[in-house]
Amino acid sequence: MSGPTVYHIPVCPFCQRLEILLSLKGRRQEVDFRVIDITRPRPEWLVRKTRGATALPVLETGDGHIIRESLVILAYLEDIFPEPPVAQRDPYRRAVENMLTMMEGVFGTQGYVWVMNQDPDRRDALRAAMLKQYERLNEFLVEHAPRGPFVFDAFGWAEIVFTPLFMRFWFLEYYEDFRLPDGPRYARVHQWIDACIAHPAAQQVTREEVIKLYYDYAKGAGNGELLPGRNRSSFAFEPDWRLRPWPPRDKYTYSATDAELGL
Ligand code: GAZ
């Protein structure tokens, strides 16, 4: 039986989780990663496999079963490649990790809702709501993992879940001028984020790549959708993001053209 295949989008945070886990296990080469261009309609063979679902990543097992949802796929990979373990084995420690994992949904959604917002009057409220999310993470870490930098002794499960989101939120820094303030309310989460982002197993994307590819998100168009007046999505694979200029930071009063984005 052959190994698993993952269908993915390279810059997608949920897909990056799988790459980080495999890289921590030294098993990246044992999974066949196939890139799907999200700016084109999904190939028919893929939609048939997923029975109409379009969100990626999707894992196909060696014997042809389909598994969706990044957190479920992570657990499957942890089961088929048990060594070295990444999830905590002690039941209480695993529960702590799982409680933190449960916070990823609202945290991620808050950042995406803010970056996609087009109404300048909502910015202050969105900033406050985002800060609230960081504060909740800070409180959790102070209670369960006061020392740090990681939740347990090494970069592990919760770090895999959150690091791709911390990296995507570079777009909030660039397009919304957001910085996590100094001070005790965010100090522990700040320390966690810095350690997560610096970890060698999590270097699949760069800040420049995130900022350039997510320009259309900052203008309100998610998932490879096309903005009015544009023929190409900033999520396109070509031209390579390295060859494109930095997008304008002002998302509220200016809309860049394909040419200005180097597309
Ligand atoms: N819950 C799924 C998982 O695997 O964890 C989410 C997968 C997902 O949304 N994948 C996106 C996709 O394939 C690409 S990454 N979309 C195409 C489609 O046809 O569905 C993140 C958000 C968000 C919106 C977008 C994204 C994102 O919240 O980066 O929140 C974290 C998409 C509004």
Side-chain angles (χ1 to χ4, degrees):
M1 193 176 81
S2 57
T5 303
V6 166
Y7 300 96
H8 78 132
I9 309 165
V11 83
C12 164
F14 312 108
C15 302
Q16 191 191 358
R17 287 174 176 163
L18 315 187
E19 293 194 82
I20 299 175
L21 179 81
L22 290 167
S23 144
L24 286 170
K25 289 179 178 289
R27 302 282 199 153
R28 178 66 176 72
Q29 298 320 315
E30 288 173 49
V31 175
D32 182 9
F33 276 83
R34 305 219 187 137
V35 170
I36 302 295
D37 186 345
I38 195 177
T39 67
R40 295 166 199 229
R42 289 281 187 287
E44 223 235 296
W45 54 263
L46 182 60
V47 179
R48 218 177 312 121
K49 281 185 199 290
T50 59
R51 306 200 180 280
T54 57
L56 298 172
V58 164
L59 181 143
E60 182 171 13
T61 65
D63 51 0
H65 296 298
I66 293 294
I67 306 177
R68 293 192 286 116
E69 285 299 326
S70 61
L71 299 178
V72 178
I73 299 172
L74 281 182
Y76 175 80
L77 293 171
E78 177 79 352
D79 287 342
I80 63 168
F81 300 128
E83 296 300 330
V86 170
Q88 294 295 312
R89 290 303 191 249
D90 170 75
Y92 176 66
R93 288 175 155 229
R94 183 75 185 125
V96 168
E97 213 161 58
N98 284 338
M99 286 191 282
L100 191 47
T101 299
M102 291 290 290
M103 297 165 78
E104 65 88 33
V106 275
F107 178 78
T109 301
Q110 194 59 57
Y112 278 80
V113 167
W114 189 12
V115 78
M116 292 184 77
N117 169 55
Q118 301 304 301
D119 176 0
D121 294 339
R122 286 186 63 211
R123 283 180 87 176
D124 288 347
L126 288 166
R127 177 187 306 272
M130 194 72 238
L131 284 173
K132 199 80 211 155
Q133 290 301 322
Y134 283 103
E135 196 180 336
R136 287 186 62 222
L137 289 180
N138 196 82
E139 282 165 359
F140 187 94
L141 293 166
V142 166
E143 180 182 350
H144 297 282
R147 274 211 1 208
F150 299 119
V151 179
F152 297 108
D153 18 296
F155 185 106
W157 193 270
E159 286 78 16
I160 293 174
V161 170
F162 278 91
T163 303
L165 298 173
F166 296 150
M167 291 176 158
R168 298 313 170 285
F169 292 179
W170 283 324
F171 55 44
L172 295 178
E173 219 177 271
Y174 190 80
Y175 295 112
E176 295 287 352
D177 224 3
F178 175 69
R179 304 267 182 299
L180 200 53
D182 289 331
R185 199 182 286 184
Y186 311 106
R188 178 64 186 92
V189 70
H190 215 144
Q191 176 201 27
W192 192 42
I193 294 170
D194 288 348
C196 283
I197 284 179
H199 195 275
Q203 303 306 309
Q204 293 80 5
V205 295
T206 67
R207 180 175 172 272
E208 179 176 353
E209 179 180 13
V210 165
I211 287 165
K212 290 180 177 178
L213 267 67
Y214 280 88
Y215 178 74
D216 290 0
Y217 267 83
K219 294 293 296 176
N223 283 329
E225 226 179 276
L226 266 192
L227 285 158
R230 296 270 305 283
N231 291 308
R232 304 199 34 101
S233 158
S234 63
F235 246 73
F237 295 153
E238 310 249 314
D240 188 281
W241 56 267
R242 293 172 193 84
L243 306 171
R244 308 183 200 168
W246 287 84
R249 298 179 68 160
D250 173 9
K251 56 175 265 197
Y252 287 103
T253 65
Y254 190 76
S255 300
T257 62
D258 288 348
E260 285 167 325
L261 295 169
L263 290 167

